[in-house]
Amino acid sequence: MDIETLLVHAARQTAAAAHSVSVPLVRTSTTVFDSFDAYKRAQSGLVFDSPRYGRSGTSTTFELQRAMAQFANTESCIATSSGLAAITAALTVHSGPGCHILVSAGVYGPTRVFCDEVLIPSGTDVEYFAHDADVSSLLRDTTSLVFVETPASLTMEMWDVPAICAAAHDRGVPVACDSTWGTPIFFDAHALGIDISIHAATKFINGHSDLLLGLVTGTLDALADVRTYCDRSGTHAAPDTCWLTLRGLRTLAVRMERHERSALAVAQWLQSQPGVQRVLFPALDTDPGYELWRSQFSGAAGPFTIELAPCSEDAFTRFIDHLSLFSLGSSWGGFESLVMPAVPHHLRALATSADTPRLVRFHIGLESPPDLCGDLAAALSAMRRNRDATAGALRQEAPVLDIRKPQLIRRIGGESR
């Protein structure tokens, strides 16, 4: 059936039993059984899709996991307490002294922090690779996992997923992917060769900015160690969160269509605005990653990044603070539009000069695109007024400068002054 139909009708087994259109929310710590044989079967570890104890899920949890597995065109799904919990579970089970993990540069900041501050100190060799790297040349006999996020979290580079999977599988190495940006609506990760696909369902899949949840999909074999790790570490999701996510899943196709249309409209408008040097969005035919995006994705809902012309910290602050429809926050994928300075975690300690382009990430919500463009236009105007005032102050000081010394010439707003 079409994906729109699947999202409405999948995983409603317990709803029918309750004579309800929605699945019932089952909260319990203790699962009870009709017989000793049923109890032994549940505790055997051979059954993955029915309750055995509240920590590993109730019927509500398993309804969501069945729906997501079907949605992702694979056998199995694990719901975790957050997107990061799903990522760290997949990385942890493939790590350890003597293990080598390849990670795409530009991954979600906390993913890199976990690699740098947990995996590497515990003996795992983590190597970051660029979007244009030849992965086959980086694989070793000790490589235990290739982990990729496409596009890159802030800088939006695209990775050639089929080529990466082919190279890794030739060496018997599994590939995990943070597929949050595309969701299975726009990115069929397993069809492209991904073994373990990870989604921060906090974002588009839930869509209401009111919960934290991770979903991991793949075959039973691919997820066996991840499932064991989640059982032992207690990182499974709560039933309330799963119930809310099922609610969001039903409308995902409609919301993604709207997000995509609005994101493209705003991104195209930004391309022609003074002070915007580049729009980093693979769905634009001017983007370097456009051909890869078109070959691997069926759509793009965002978020995306823009590069502002170099400006002072005051001018940049005025731009951010003058936005009224874009909230300043670190998430995305919800109904509301968001803005965030796009500085990777490992570079945030470095000072930004007035000669450095500013990267800003936007999530385009469900508001009217003309309203959002009007809000951005006002903020860009405020930034330019501050920049012009700064340039005027520099002009007044010009007589005391020795313009024969190149180090005294500053580049402001594309002009040398």
Side-chain angles (χ1 to χ4, degrees):
M1 62 182 72
D2 287 342
I3 196 70
E4 294 89 349
T5 307
L6 172 65
L7 290 174
V8 172
H9 290 276
R12 290 169 61 181
Q13 298 174 25
T14 56
H19 302 285
S20 170
V21 70
S22 297
V23 301
L25 169 56
V26 176
R27 299 186 184 101
T28 189
S29 59
T30 304
T31 300
V32 296
F33 300 88
D34 294 332
S35 67
F36 189 39
D37 284 343
Y39 173 83
K40 288 190 293 183
R41 178 170 169 76
Q43 303 302 323
S44 68
L46 301 176
V47 179
F48 303 112
D49 60 352
S50 62
R52 59 187 184 277
Y53 182 65
R55 183 180 61 242
S56 60
T58 70
S59 61
T60 310
T61 310
F62 291 98
E63 287 279 37
L64 172 62
Q65 292 178 164
R66 281 190 290 270
M68 188 63 188
Q70 191 175 359
F71 179 32
N73 297 313
T74 190
E75 292 180 334
S76 183
C77 174
I78 304 167
T80 66
S81 57
S82 68
L84 183 59
I87 291 167
T88 58
L91 287 168
T92 298
V93 300
H94 293 93
S95 68
C99 292
H100 170 244
I101 297 179
L102 282 171
V103 179
S104 62
V107 291
Y108 174 52
T111 302
R112 178 154 183 155
V113 170
F114 180 77
C115 290
D116 291 346
E117 299 185 6
V118 178
L119 295 187
I120 292 175
S122 65
T124 304
D125 185 359
V126 177
E127 181 179 358
Y128 299 100
F129 65 96
H131 66 98
D132 55 355
D134 177 10
V135 170
S136 61
S137 68
L138 302 176
L139 293 164
R140 310 175 191 170
D141 292 340
T142 56
T143 303
S144 55
L145 181 72
V146 177
F147 186 99
V148 64
E149 180 178 354
T150 187
S153 183
L154 297 177
T155 51
M156 307 305 293
E157 291 98 346
M158 290 292 303
W159 267 258
D160 190 339
V161 171
I164 291 170
C165 291
H169 293 162
D170 280 347
R171 300 284 292 272
V173 177
V175 180
C177 181
D178 185 335
S179 307
T180 304
W181 191 84
T183 81
I185 292 287
F186 292 150
F187 183 64
D188 193 346
H190 298 298
L192 293 171
I194 296 296
D195 302 289
I196 301 172
S197 183
I198 300 165
H199 299 267
T202 304
K203 298 177 171 63
F204 282 128
I205 290 175
N206 170 56
H208 292 77
S209 301
D210 54 6
L211 59 80
L212 297 172
L213 183 79
L215 295 170
V216 190
T217 62
T219 64
L220 287 169
D221 286 344
L223 298 191
D225 291 341
V226 178
R227 180 173 283 105
T228 299
Y229 174 85
C230 291
D231 284 343
R232 292 174 178 172
S233 61
T235 59
H236 287 291
D240 295 65
T241 305
C242 293
W243 186 86
L244 288 169
T245 303
L246 270 170
R247 172 209 60 185
L249 193 66
R250 307 300 184 193
T251 63
L252 179 61
V254 178
R255 289 186 286 104
M256 292 295 279
E257 180 182 348
R258 173 60 184 272
H259 282 300
E260 178 183 35
R261 187 167 68 246
S262 297
L264 281 169
V266 175
Q268 289 166 351
W269 177 85
L270 281 165
Q271 283 184 302
S272 63
Q273 300 310 302
V276 177
Q277 294 192 155
R278 285 194 301 162
V279 179
L280 311 177
F281 191 27
L284 297 173
D285 59 11
T286 54
D287 191 276
Y290 175 73
E291 292 301 331
L292 274 178
W293 168 79
R294 194 171 66 168
S295 68
Q296 298 175 50
F297 287 76
S298 61
F304 62 82
T305 299
I306 67 169
E307 182 181 290
L308 293 171
C311 63
S312 67
E313 187 69 18
D314 285 345
F316 185 63
T317 299
R318 284 177 68 86
F319 170 73
I320 297 294
D321 288 348
H322 270 72
L323 291 166
S324 60
L325 296 180
F326 288 83
S327 298
L328 177 59
S330 296
S331 192
W332 48 272
F335 59 89
E336 79 289 10
S337 291
L338 294 172
V339 62
M340 188 187 82
V343 182
H345 272 59
H346 62 290
L347 298 178
R348 290 182 182 179
L350 302 178
T352 301
S353 73
D355 296 323
T356 305
R358 306 279 185 151
L359 294 180
V360 185
R361 186 177 72 183
F362 293 107
H363 164 62
I364 305 303
L366 301 179
E367 303 94 338
S368 165
D371 288 340
L372 295 176
C373 291
D375 193 34
L376 288 165
L380 288 168
S381 177
M383 181 184 69
R384 287 194 299 271
R385 288 196 302 270
N386 181 278
R387 184 192 64 193
D388 292 343
T390 302
L394 288 174
R395 281 196 296 270
Q396 292 176 9
E397 296 173 5
V400 302
L401 299 177
D402 185 350
I403 61 174
R404 293 169 294 181
K405 296 182 178 180
Q407 67 269 25
L408 294 182
I409 298 177
R410 301 185 61 190
R411 185 169 296 279
I412 300 174
E415 297 178 2
S416 295
R417 302 193 185 275

